[in-house]
Amino acid sequence: MLTRVRNANLARHQIVQIPATKMTRNIASVLQEEGFIQSVEEIGEAQSKQLLLSLKYKGKTREPIITALKRISKPGLRIYAPKKELPRVLGGLGIAVISTSQGVMTDTQARSQNLGGEVLCYIW
């Protein structure tokens, strides 16, 4: 999912289509809440559902809102952070997406709820 969004963002596409899973739905909703994407729409039938993400751009030159998107926890090396060691991305200008026992949320939400978890990605 993250690679598709990054590639579509660099190519300045308006929408990107990704497979719909629980994790991609949760990450997409966090991105929408934080203002990195415009809208999320689910299309397709039960087995082959897809998410359509509308990316955001600013100005006449269509500068992408998402400057960088970096995957942190990978299948070969999972990265976990306790509540006291949750990362700050660019001193608070970006967000870290954390998968906690209470669901997928940003680092600031996890910090306020005193939760640690798996660090999925950084976005700024």
Side-chain angles (χ1 to χ4, degrees):
M1 172 199 179
L2 299 175
T3 301
R4 285 191 187 197
V5 171
R6 184 185 314 113
N7 288 343
N9 200 33
L10 290 173
R12 291 193 163 84
H13 290 290
Q14 187 64 38
I15 59 171
V16 60
Q17 185 173 347
I18 57 173
T21 63
K22 282 184 187 179
M23 185 62 77
T24 57
R25 281 187 201 100
N26 292 335
I27 292 173
S29 67
V30 167
L31 291 178
Q32 187 175 12
E33 287 170 11
E34 294 297 315
F36 287 107
I37 58 175
Q38 199 164 10
S39 65
V40 178
E41 185 180 329
E42 196 165 324
I43 60 169
E45 298 171 10
Q47 292 297 329
S48 61
K49 285 195 175 193
Q50 301 282 318
L51 290 178
L52 283 181
L53 306 180
S54 296
L55 301 177
K56 274 179 133 178
Y57 298 96
K58 58 185 171 188
K60 290 184 180 178
T61 59
R62 290 180 43 91
E63 284 292 317
I65 297 289
I66 299 174
T67 308
L69 196 148
K70 185 176 180 185
R71 172 86 173 170
I72 302 302
S73 186
K74 299 174 179 146
L77 180 64
R78 300 289 183 185
I79 305 295
Y80 296 95
K83 61 184 178 185
K84 292 183 180 179
E85 296 175 16
L86 286 174
R88 288 196 188 276
V89 180
L90 291 181
L93 295 177
I95 65 166
V97 179
I98 312 289
S99 176
T100 67
S101 59
Q102 303 296 314
V104 177
M105 59 185 72
T106 65
D107 55 332
T108 53
Q109 292 170 335
R111 212 174 276 111
S112 68
Q113 295 180 20
N114 285 327
L115 293 171
E118 183 180 357
V119 182
L120 298 177
C121 63
Y122 294 158
I123 301 167
W124 67 89

